[in-house]
Amino acid sequence: MKELILASNNAHKVEEIKSILDDYKILTLKDIGYYEDIIEDGTTFEENALIKARTIAKHSGKAAIADDSGLSVALLDGRPGVYSARYSVEQTDEKNIEKVLAELNGEKSEAKFVSVIALVKPDGTEITFRGECHGEIIFEKRGNNGFGYDPIFYVPSLEKTFAELTSEQKNSISHRKESLDKFSKYLKEEDYEN
């Protein structure tokens, strides 16, 4: 089985990526013995994904992939964006949701989840793949599945929040599914071996 090193130890992200890229053996940072913090100081999802993938490609000498993703709320000028996981002082899902809802102050807003997968090869080749899932923010948390902003991210076509979907349903329409599909198509076209 082909291997890919994923520049992440985020259990939710790793699980989603493994289930979507099931043709590949996905190694995490823990699997390769990398325990240092990677400073994500980019201003876009693309920049942060590339920072992580570059770091691990350099460390391992092998191709590395990274995902940077988050919520972009139209009425908040795209916030929380790259700061989605660390938007509140407490940096918890609960407090991050509270901050977004407080800033919206009852105003309904369109929103999108964004995922960017970056691939950095040992030869220095860099490429990114972007996926988006559009919806809106609701003010009553619904559902017990998923993580992050899923309970307030409503998909009108399904009449459900991300947190009300099974992992299979979410993985069939999510921003990460779209970016990983583009990435997987690239790997197949390149017949990529790590």
Side-chain angles (χ1 to χ4, degrees):
M1 182 179 272
K2 297 177 184 177
E3 285 185 351
L4 290 168
I5 299 172
L6 172 62
S8 181
N9 280 321
N10 178 315
H12 294 295
K13 195 177 282 191
V14 170
E15 186 181 323
E16 267 186 35
I17 290 172
K18 280 183 174 180
S19 70
I20 295 169
L21 288 181
D22 56 3
D23 289 346
Y24 294 84
K25 180 177 182 185
I26 306 296
L27 302 175
T28 65
L29 296 181
K30 185 179 176 187
D31 293 331
I32 65 165
Y34 189 90
Y35 297 101
E36 296 172 43
D37 284 335
I38 300 173
I39 307 301
E40 300 174 43
D41 54 5
T43 58
T44 66
F45 296 114
E46 283 80 3
E47 287 174 7
N48 280 338
L50 282 166
I51 287 168
K52 292 182 276 192
R54 278 184 201 126
T55 302
I56 299 311
K58 185 176 177 184
H59 169 80
S60 67
K62 296 182 176 181
I65 63 170
D67 166 87
D68 199 59
S69 51
L71 179 70
S72 176
V73 180
L75 281 182
L76 301 182
D77 299 320
R79 293 188 314 275
V82 295
Y83 304 104
S84 291
R86 52 191 192 276
Y87 197 49
S88 63
V89 174
E90 298 83 358
Q91 298 186 6
T92 64
D93 291 350
E94 189 69 31
K95 293 296 181 182
N96 290 344
I97 286 172
E98 283 179 18
K99 184 173 179 182
V100 165
L101 295 181
E103 288 183 343
L104 283 173
N105 197 25
E107 282 193 75
K108 190 174 176 181
S109 179
E110 292 181 355
K112 63 184 176 184
F113 270 122
V114 177
S115 163
V116 172
I117 300 292
L119 168 67
V120 175
K121 298 181 185 179
D123 66 5
T125 302
E126 299 181 346
I127 187 165
T128 61
F129 308 87
R130 185 182 181 100
E132 296 183 355
C133 182
H134 295 261
E136 56 194 49
I137 301 301
I138 61 169
F139 290 87
E140 172 197 358
K141 289 188 285 184
R142 289 175 24 189
N144 298 310
N145 300 325
F147 60 99
Y149 299 93
D150 288 358
I152 61 166
F153 185 78
Y154 181 77
V155 183
S157 61
L158 299 177
E159 299 183 352
K160 289 183 178 180
T161 67
F162 260 19
E164 292 177 296
L165 301 176
T166 65
S167 58
E168 292 79 16
Q169 289 171 317
K170 180 182 171 186
N171 288 347
S172 72
I173 63 154
S174 76
H175 50 306
R176 194 164 288 120
K177 167 74 169 159
E178 185 179 325
S179 62
L180 286 168
D181 278 352
K182 291 176 182 177
F183 173 59
S184 184
K185 182 172 183 276
Y186 168 82
L187 292 179
K188 285 185 175 76
E189 286 170 356
E190 293 288 306
D191 194 26
Y192 187 66
E193 293 282 356
N194 194 351

